[in-house]
Amino acid sequence: MFRLETEVDKERHRLLGKRLHEDNVAASAGLRALLSTPAEHEVPLEVWALDRDGALAGGLTGRTWAYWLHVDLLWVDARHRGSGLGSRLLAEAERVARTERACTRSRLETWDFQAPEFYRKQGYEEIGRVEDYPPGVTEFILTKRLT
């Protein structure tokens, strides 16, 4: 017999993550091969663009893990869109991931009303899509080789 609970529990969350990681490593030669390498742990990667006054004009946040760059957020202030700033932010993140963290691939998700065409112009290819996520919106999953 089991009792199911739905409240948030940070300690159980950490324990669950630890146990899943241990099971995954035991089951995957690929994950075991990452152990004791620089790519074993997720490392944040952030690139910021500041205007002349030091205000945020754009930025990119992501992380590297397992020789992959994962772009989480990329935003450019409306006043600077079309100036190439988004391309510069993405290129710098890819450069750091490739040259400083030995990443060979990049991945990201974007919605249909955001920037799928922008990413395609930067060399990203669609590998999947999720329709109606959220309702009425399509999410695209895109990847790119960095080497």
Side-chain angles (χ1 to χ4, degrees), residues 3 24 27 40 54 65 84 86 90 96 120 132 135-136 142 144 146:
R3 181 181 77 240
N24 288 345
E40 177 182 9
W65 175 72
L90 186 58
V96 169
R120 287 184 182 108
D132 246 8
L142 305 163
K144 178 181 178 179
L146 299 179

Side-chain angles (χ1 to χ4, degrees), residues 127-145:
I127 62 159
R129 63 174 63 190
V130 182
E131 305 286 342
D132 246 8
Y133 181 74
V137 175
T138 299
E139 179 184 66
F140 294 93
I141 304 160
L142 305 163
T143 64
K144 178 181 178 179
R145 284 200 181 280

Side-chain angles (χ1 to χ4, degrees), residues 32-44:
R32 284 192 304 278
L34 290 174
L35 298 177
S36 301
T37 72
E40 177 182 9
H41 301 286
E42 277 190 2
V43 179

Side-chain angles (χ1 to χ4, degrees), residues 16-17 26-27 31 33 40-41 44 48-49 56 63 65 70 73 82 87-88 96 100-101 113 120 124 129 132 137:
L16 183 70
L31 291 178
E40 177 182 9
H41 301 286
W48 306 108
L56 184 64
R63 52 204 147 88
W65 175 72
H70 188 118
L73 305 172
S87 299
R88 290 179 57 200
V96 169
E100 298 178 19
R101 303 187 188 181
F113 64 88
R120 287 184 182 108
Y124 283 77
R129 63 174 63 190
D132 246 8
V137 175

